[in-house]
Amino acid sequence: MAERVLVVGGGGREHALAWKLAQSPKVQQVLVAPGNAGTASGGKISNSEVSVSNHTILAQFCKDHHVGLVVVGPEVPLAAGIVDDLTAAGVPCFGPSAKAAQLEASKSFSKAFMERHGIPTARYGSFTDAKEACDYIRTAAFPALVVKASGLAAGKGVIVARDQDEACRAVMDIMKERAFGSAGETVVVEELLEGEEVSCLCFSDGLSVCPMPPAQDHKRLQDGDEGPNTGGMGAYCPTPQVSQELLQHITHSVLQKTVDGMREEGAPYVGVLYAGLMLTKQGAKVLEFNCRFGDPECQVLLPLMQSDLYDVILSTMSGKLSSSAPAWHRDSSAVTVVMASAGYPGSYKKGVAITGLSQVEDSGAQVFHAGTALKDGGVVSSGGRVLTVTAVKPTLEAALEAANRGVAAVGFPGAVFRRDIGHRAIAHLGALNRGLTYKDSGVDIAAGNKLVDMIKPLAKATSRAGCNAELGGFAGLFDLKAAGFVDPILVSGTDGVGTKLKIAQACRQHGGLGQDLVAMCVNDVLAHGAEPLFFLDYFSCGKLDVDVAAAVVGGVAKACEMAGCALLGGETAEMPGVYAPGEYDLAGFCVGAAERAELLPRLGEVAEGDQLIGVASSGVHSNGFSLVRKVLERAGLGYESPAPFGTQNQTIGDVLLTPTKIYSRLLLPILRGGAVKAFAHVTGGGLLENVPRVLPKELAVDLDATRWSVPPVFSWLYKEGGLSEEEMARTFNCGLGTVLVVAPPHAQTVLRQVRAHEEAWLVGSLSRKQAGAEPVTVRNLKHALASAAVDKNGGYHGDGTLPRKKTRVAVLISGTGTNLQALIEQARRPSSSAEIAVVISNRPGVQGLKRASLAGIQTRVVDHKLYGSRAEFDATIDRVLEEFGVQLVCLAGFMRILTGTFVKKWNGKLLNIHPSLLPSFKGVNAQKQALQAGVRVSGCTVHFVAEEVDAGAIVVQEAVPVLGGDTEESLSDRIRQAEHRAFPEALELVCSGAVRLGEDGRLAGD
């Protein structure tokens, strides 16, 4: 049975939607509300006067008139929850929910979302205070010249400023003069990106995405991209600047990643997702998201759609998109030209008669009405953008020519329009016919030079005695005499990081690979007793992504500092066609030196009965990842899945990408002490093949796996992969990164020296090898793997990291302690720099004390009612803090005002959390204040405590959108969830030393 469909909206986009839907044999009638002159009456299409703002009335209308599907064109109804309300009433409605539509409705939310999910976008700041926004503009380390109203502003809330003064004026216009009303209560200030802007849209059923051909809008009013910004003066499709390879990359790294992220955050995205992108030299970056078809992009996309739009929508809504992807006319181009009223985008006259429309359509072009109305049987203008003329032809040039002819046939006095739609594409196509350059082949020398400039200061920081680590020469120089060597032997090593690369690339976490690369080479050199002197890296890719390469090489430089060697040089090889998009490979080369008499192993001294000291690994390190990936495939898990072998909130990718340990600074002084006879780096080949490499042939290794802590990741791999004990011992380090060979009299001394900095154990001994016996025996490995998930004596944690010196923290509470629970969970993470030493309450018997006791944390009650003054109460709190050696105090729902004396003593060591985006809404009832003020965004703030209430330096803020139907209770609930993320983040920043309070009361970082 044919359906009746209602399209919500009245612009050119909605006319195009109605036009395409009417072509379906499964659609009986298309109603458009409110519609325009073009949709008033024509075949299946007619207008409806039903109110679309009152969703209850609209739902009843749909039921009364047997409307089987509602298709929403503009963004405002989507943000207002039309899809949620109609769906709840039993009326099928196409488009994202209000929660999902936040991607467009709140630019602040959108930017934070992209940051959370690693989606490439411009650097930015979000502000509710105009002065802070202007300070950011003037102090940012990049051109912060794009100013956006965070809320919906009909596509006009973006100002691209020419300089800082103009950007600050834009902030004042938006926030003080309210140029865009409530949409400008929060502004986003972004980095000005350079490149070409394109529109990449897709259908999404909440799980998968089907991309549409890329299009390009023309925002400026006049030819040559001159004049003011508009809602769009024309578009064309497809864009030749976006290759099929690039479109696939955008689909994966932007569109699919966004849909995955929204699903993970509890807001499945169903509908049309529009990504406005800038094609920068560093790759495609998201400028904005829209939650619907673009206007005028819709007017070029739908004429190129070969499939039935009605069928595509139903497949999208039913979750069947992956099996019924829409088809497109691939051998055609479409151009649409917007005709606007004289004076647009400023004030303009309405009611201007428009003629000649039938002649345009007779010529084969299609007119889509926007700001038009019927008057006395004729068509008149009723808006700024009045109509678009679309032409579809085999080539872009022919389509533009046909569209321009159609525009010329329209009688519209004073009309404003462009004649150069698609000019960038035409120039691009023309450039393809000129002489080739090296860049045309895919090698960007300028990008390579930029990378070198970025890493020069990083390499310089690794300078050491013997070299100054200056990049740029043909070769690097090292002076062994200056490094203090007398009779040196050079030792070299080279290695890569294997298929751990694939995991890093999939997770877009590249920085840790630099440490892996350095560690694999340095530890090999160290095995010969050599001091690592200098390092060289090799980075190869198909297309150079400067940001990714800088992250990797930056990680190499930091690791060289950790290892004590200089980053003396390297090679970046861009090889188009050799690697798939986003892929790269790494190799490293380390050269070290040892005095001739200090070389290892000292095979002549290694003897039966010598003890073996195992030094802990950080996890899988950088070997065996092909097998790891196979096990994950068998288990049906992805890198983003919660880690069954990690701590809470860790993904599998997080755990597997834990960097390889570098042992040089720890072990080199011990090796030079002379007690260590041999050193085995447990790398490819695991325990079975690496330890024998440093031993005489006649000796065998006897290891007892119950003597060291086996990380749970190995237990999981063993069980899930069905691996044998031998396969585990031959492939993985099983928790031992290195093994030292020491004579029995020196074993305890060396063990104590290692344990001063790192976890280590006596793990076995050497014996005489029997004829036909294996060179290595690992006893009790099965038992150790079975019990590896248990935290033994507090010495090992689930992700393979080991205890470090932590900042001792006290948490002050007065009640339930929900934020306390979040802090406890953060401090439990192996990577945390915090240790909660005591929880103090001013009220006895509260739930927070029970939470602490259950977590094994000591508690104290200092009842304020028992003290005669605030000063006496605070002094008692202070004594308890001193008793427990507390270094940082967190106020988690602590309902007492601390005295100035106490705050001064603990200045820079007191953190508080407040349920608003300070400095807005200080004091009590912050959520109520926010609702009364009518703001669109609230949130929470973690700050250092100052004598003035809620006035200390801000450490972390997290924004929370204020929804239309929010009550004080519902807003408080969502802010509380944000607090559970923000407070642990701030705790970690302060405890790790990444953030501290400077003497001037401002934040400082180490």
Side-chain angles (χ1 to χ4, degrees), residues 964-983:
D966 261 344
T967 62
E968 192 174 342
E969 182 179 359
S970 65
L971 179 58
S972 297
D973 286 342
R974 290 206 314 286
I975 290 177
R976 196 172 298 115
Q977 294 303 312
E979 289 180 349
H980 297 343
R981 294 185 293 271
F983 214 167

Side-chain angles (χ1 to χ4, degrees), residues 732-789:
F732 300 113
N733 64 60
C734 296
L736 298 182
T738 67
V739 174
L740 310 180
V741 180
V742 184
H746 303 303
Q748 287 298 329
T749 300
V750 172
L751 184 62
R752 281 196 301 272
Q753 290 173 335
V754 177
R755 280 182 169 173
H757 305 282
E758 189 63 88
E759 191 74 5
W761 311 268
L762 284 173
V763 297
S765 61
L766 299 182
S767 60
R768 182 67 52 182
K769 183 183 175 186
Q770 300 300 314
E774 294 295 330
V776 178
T777 300
V778 184
R779 293 184 289 111
N780 301 315
L781 182 57
K782 182 177 181 179
H783 173 76
L785 288 166
S787 59

Side-chain angles (χ1 to χ4, degrees), residues 177-355:
E177 303 300 324
R178 297 180 64 81
F180 302 111
S182 61
E185 289 172 354
T186 297
V187 297
V188 172
V189 179
E190 283 187 5
E191 173 186 14
L192 178 64
L193 298 177
E194 294 183 357
E196 279 214 48
E197 192 172 339
V198 295
S199 305
C200 288
L201 291 81
C202 69
F203 291 99
S204 168
D205 61 7
L207 289 171
S208 59
V209 299
C210 282
M212 305 180 201
Q216 188 172 65
D217 185 11
H218 292 62
K219 291 292 187 186
R220 296 286 184 175
L221 181 69
Q222 299 162 2
D223 287 351
D225 294 323
E226 299 291 333
N229 262 338
T230 70
M233 294 301 294
Y236 68 94
C237 178
T239 55
Q241 301 93 315
V242 179
S243 65
Q244 192 61 34
E245 180 184 43
L246 178 56
L247 182 59
Q248 288 176 356
H249 177 70
I250 291 168
T251 301
H252 170 75
S253 65
V254 175
L255 301 176
Q256 186 65 58
K257 210 165 191 179
T258 300
V259 170
D260 291 344
M262 292 300 287
R263 185 176 66 254
E264 289 167 12
E265 296 194 7
Y269 194 100
V270 178
V272 171
L273 176 64
Y274 170 134
L277 301 156
M278 185 70 81
L279 304 181
T280 73
K281 291 180 179 179
Q282 292 76 44
K285 295 189 178 184
V286 178
L287 296 172
E288 64 175 356
F289 285 120
N290 292 331
C291 57
R292 34 71 190 182
F293 274 107
D295 187 344
E297 289 94 341
C298 186
Q299 291 92 303
V300 289
L301 283 164
L302 293 184
L304 291 177
M305 178 182 274
Q306 190 173 341
S307 299
D308 184 322
L309 176 60
Y310 178 76
D311 285 343
V312 174
I313 288 175
L314 292 189
S315 295
T316 303
M317 294 176 67
S318 62
K320 300 176 181 177
L321 194 56
S322 60
S323 60
S324 54
W328 304 86
H329 293 289
R330 299 289 180 183
D331 55 352
S332 299
S333 290
V335 171
T336 194
V337 178
V338 172
M339 300 187 73
S341 297
Y344 176 80
S347 59
Y348 49 82
K349 182 181 177 182
K350 298 182 181 180
V352 178
I354 302 170
T355 60

